[in-house]
């Protein structure tokens, strides 16, 4: 945002803490709004970490506006269908997604690292290399009436690496947010659902049309499988991202939410032994992965407040949610667009951050809570309860209208119903 004071043009200076999906999307959005941005990222070398992630059409609309669509479509799968299957592999529900469903924007299934990499390249090109300070682990922010001052250390050594000043500070530092912890010092660890997730990627033959997201099973034992590489699809194979989910109960394991912790195949593959469907051999898919990561299903309780004077929260730092509904990255991108718009609509930074909070806090809190009830995956629970041993005809188990109503209500809640996404700009 540029605003005129006398004859000088003053630009708002924003410090963004965290160069993940939300932080980088915010950097691009704020830059477009005329805000001067510095992104401070804890790690010294941003690598292509994680496995698959979905980006829903409302977030793709924003990424398109940031000029990223071409880069993303070189690597992302343009998702055609979302499919729900029972534990026996039977089809419960299949619905078209993105372009196939008449949206003006696609849904992407993509490697998280490729998404982050595309955002990072765009930030470097559009804002310059200097806009990203890696090796800057946020410690603390102080506020005065005129601005913010944040201190950073090198996480590996603990040595101070600098103090930066700005007009506004945005905490986009993920589920273990240090910015959030400064305002909620007693919050502690994320909330554990009792389920463990094992994640991996396996090269395979295409499943269904090679562009479908598949969810099978129910809360006690579930698999989520989708392709994430357009290069592999063009070569006639499929790079399948998968998540195996098992109810363990108990309390949060030690060292709970490290995205890079390796998992043990014996902890989950035997439980899927009879998941050999005519459309996929699920245990073989898991077994053939080169690397398996383990991550507990966690989230954070909704907060009453995100904005404190000139400081606010964004993405997982504000509203880490369970992955049901595939909304984490998309909601972070929606936050990024909203904060840039609010800061460009109002020269008063504190008022702008309150406007951002009042637009985004309530809908994302509702999503956090709805995802605890498994979001759109609720259909899996209903079918598992009503006919645990499988069914002859799905219509006898759950009427089509009930399935449609569950799918539609989640889209409205997460604000990616077709009417909202296709609204003229
Ligand atoms: C390494 C990694 C792997 C992931 N893998 C997956 C995956 O496979 N599937 C999936 O669905 N989601 C994954 N996620 C989470 C997913 O990216 C987020 O849920 C979602 O995209 C919202 O993004 P975000 O920007 O809010 O948070 P994140 O993408 O988590 O980004 C937060 C960023 O803040 C940085 N950071 C943390 N603390 C500090 C600090 N004190 N100072 C400065 N920087 C800090 C982190 O290094 C990270 O780059 C992963 C996250 C990470 C960090």
């Amino acid at each position: 945002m540029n605003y005129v004071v006398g004859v000088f043009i003053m630009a708002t200076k924003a410090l963004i803490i965290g160069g993940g999906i939300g932080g980088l999307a915010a950097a691009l959005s704020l830059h477009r709004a005329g805000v001067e941005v510095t992104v401070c990222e804890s790690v010294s070398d941003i690598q292509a970490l994680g496995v698959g992630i979905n980006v829903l059409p409302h977030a793709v609309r924003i990424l398109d506006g940031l000029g990223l669509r071409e880069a993303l479509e070189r690597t992302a799968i343009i998702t055609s269908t979302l499919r729900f299957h029972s534990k026996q592999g039977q089809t419960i529900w299949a619905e078209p997604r993105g372009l196939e469903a008449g949206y003006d924007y696609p849904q992407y299934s993509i490697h998280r690292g490729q998404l982050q990499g595309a955002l990072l390249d765009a930030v470097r090109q559009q804002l310059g290399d200097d806009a990203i300070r890696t090796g800057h682990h946020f410690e603390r922010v102080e506020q005065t009436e005129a601005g913010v001052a944040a201190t950073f250390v090198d996480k590996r050594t603990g040595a101070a690496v600098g103090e930066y000043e700005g007009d506004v500070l945005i905490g986009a530092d993920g589920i273990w947010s240090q910015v959030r912890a400064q305002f909620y010092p007693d919050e502690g660890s994320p909330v554990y659902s009792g389920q463990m997730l094992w994640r991996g990627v396996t090269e395979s033959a295409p499943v269904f049309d090679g562009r479908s997201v598949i969810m099978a099973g129910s809360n006690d034992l579930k698999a989520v499988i989708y392709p994430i590489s357009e290069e592999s699809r063009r070569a006639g194979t499929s790079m399948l991202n998968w998540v195996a989910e098992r109810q363990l109960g108990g309390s949060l394991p030690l060292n709970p939410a490290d995205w890079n912790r390796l998992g043990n195949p014996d902890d989950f593959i035997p439980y899927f032994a009879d998941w050999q469907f005519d459309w996929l051999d699920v245990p073989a898919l898991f077994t053939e992965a080169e690397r398996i990561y383990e991550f507990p299903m966690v989230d954070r309780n909704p907060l009453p407040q995100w904005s404190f004077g000139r400081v606010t929260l964004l993405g997982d730092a504000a509203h880490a949610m369970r992955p049901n509904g595939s909304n984490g990255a998309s909601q972070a991108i929606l936050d990024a667009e909203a904060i840039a718009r609010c800061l460009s609509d109002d020269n008063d930074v504190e008022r702008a951050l309150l406007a951002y909070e009042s637009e985004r806090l309530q809908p994302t809190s509702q999503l956090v809570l709805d995802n605890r009830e498994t979001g759109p995956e609720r259909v899996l629970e209903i079918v598992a309860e009503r006919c645990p041993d499988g069914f002859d005809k799905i219509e006898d188990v759950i009427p089509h209208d009930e399935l449609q109503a569950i799918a539609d209500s989640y889209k409205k809640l997460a604000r990616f119903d077709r009417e909202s996404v296709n609204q003229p700009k």
Side-chain angles (χ1 to χ4, degrees):
M1 168 187 57
N2 289 322
Y3 54 96
V4 180
V5 178
V7 291
F8 300 108
I9 305 260
M10 304 264 293
T12 301
K13 269 173 80 174
L15 298 177
I16 298 178
I17 310 304
I21 310 301
L24 295 172
L28 291 170
S29 302
L30 287 163
H31 176 68
R32 295 226 162 183
V35 175
E36 195 184 320
V37 178
T38 304
V39 179
C40 297
E41 164 56 48
S42 174
V43 302
S44 48
D45 179 21
I46 300 180
Q47 293 176 2
L49 295 176
V51 282
I53 221 164
N54 278 287
V55 189
L56 303 174
H58 51 357
V60 173
R61 177 180 165 134
I62 294 166
L63 297 177
D64 180 50
L66 296 173
L68 280 158
R69 194 148 162 195
E70 204 187 314
L72 292 172
E73 290 185 9
R74 276 197 291 274
T75 168
I77 291 285
I78 295 182
T79 315
S80 72
T81 315
L82 173 62
R83 306 183 61 93
F84 291 105
H85 290 260
S86 69
K87 242 172 234 174
Q88 294 78 19
Q90 296 168 294
T91 304
I92 296 170
W93 173 252
E95 63 173 32
R97 280 278 162 144
L99 299 177
E100 313 277 325
Y103 285 76
D104 292 343
Y105 299 90
Q107 172 174 333
Y108 296 142
S109 299
I110 186 169
H111 191 287
R112 177 189 176 274
Q114 307 263 23
L115 172 61
Q116 190 185 19
L119 287 162
L120 187 61
D121 288 348
V123 169
R124 287 193 166 128
Q125 273 163 21
Q126 295 177 29
L127 284 72
D129 285 340
D130 210 34
I132 307 251
R133 308 287 161 90
T134 54
H136 280 60
H137 185 79
F138 168 85
E139 275 214 319
R140 212 176 155 76
V141 57
E142 301 299 340
Q143 299 192 55
T144 63
E145 265 186 29
V148 294
T151 47
F152 298 89
V153 294
D154 179 330
K155 199 179 176 196
R156 292 163 307 180
T157 61
V161 289
E163 179 172 321
Y164 289 66
E165 292 183 355
D167 301 305
V168 55
L169 182 139
I170 300 166
D173 48 344
I175 193 161
W176 288 102
S177 171
Q178 182 68 27
V179 181
R180 177 175 174 135
Q182 183 172 331
F183 295 96
Y184 295 94
D186 301 324
E187 192 182 17
S189 291
V191 180
Y192 178 45
S193 69
Q195 281 138 312
M196 187 57 77
L197 307 175
W198 290 269
R199 306 172 298 135
V201 174
T202 307
E203 185 90 40
S204 143
V207 183
F208 297 113
D209 65 350
R211 296 197 291 125
S212 297
V213 174
I214 301 159
M215 305 197 174
S218 62
N219 242 351
D220 55 342
L221 198 63
K222 190 184 290 175
V224 177
I225 299 160
Y226 52 87
I228 53 169
S229 165
E230 174 61 9
E231 294 94 326
S232 296
R233 194 189 71 82
R234 288 224 185 95
T237 65
S238 202
M239 185 69 80
L240 285 181
N241 172 81
W242 53 261
V243 183
E245 190 179 311
R246 185 160 86 82
Q247 184 77 42
L248 297 183
S251 52
L252 192 63
L254 285 175
N255 186 15
D258 172 0
W259 287 108
N260 303 316
R261 187 170 72 201
L262 293 179
N264 178 354
D266 296 339
D267 289 341
F268 69 103
I269 298 181
Y271 297 85
F272 289 88
D274 58 353
W275 286 41
Q276 294 175 19
F277 308 139
D278 52 7
W279 46 270
L280 185 67
D281 182 336
V282 176
L285 179 80
F286 296 164
T287 306
E288 283 158 23
E290 221 171 88
R291 212 166 286 125
I292 293 171
Y293 299 99
E294 180 183 276
F295 193 83
M297 170 96 90
V298 285
D299 66 6
R300 291 274 185 191
N301 286 325
L303 293 177
Q305 188 182 351
W306 295 351
S307 296
F308 300 86
R310 293 170 171 271
V311 177
T312 196
L313 302 171
L314 179 149
D316 279 6
H319 49 67
M321 56 185 71
R322 294 190 192 170
N324 315 83
S326 314
N327 246 294
S330 297
Q331 294 298 324
I333 294 165
L334 262 64
D335 292 347
E337 186 278 333
I339 201 165
R341 182 166 30 76
C342 291
L343 279 166
S344 80
D345 283 353
D346 195 334
N347 286 345
D348 182 322
V349 166
E350 297 196 19
R351 222 167 37 211
L353 294 192
L354 288 176
Y356 157 72
E357 174 185 303
S358 71
E359 177 178 333
R360 295 294 300 149
L361 187 145
Q362 192 266 347
T364 50
S365 299
Q366 262 187 306
L367 264 184
V368 169
L369 298 177
D370 198 72
N371 285 1
R372 286 183 181 173
E373 304 299 319
T374 71
E377 294 167 34
R378 197 164 296 140
V379 296
L380 297 175
E381 303 317 308
I382 295 173
V383 171
E385 262 168 40
R386 293 184 191 170
C387 49
D389 300 322
F391 50 82
D392 291 328
K393 285 210 313 244
I394 188 64
E395 300 75 24
D396 298 338
V397 182
I398 180 166
H400 181 274
D401 289 354
E402 194 177 344
L403 289 165
Q404 186 74 57
I406 292 170
D408 290 348
S409 74
Y410 188 78
K411 290 194 190 87
K412 279 229 174 324
L413 185 70
R415 307 199 172 188
F416 71 103
D417 55 292
R418 193 174 53 209
E419 292 64 40
S420 307
V421 174
N422 287 358
Q423 265 174 29
K425 286 190 180 169

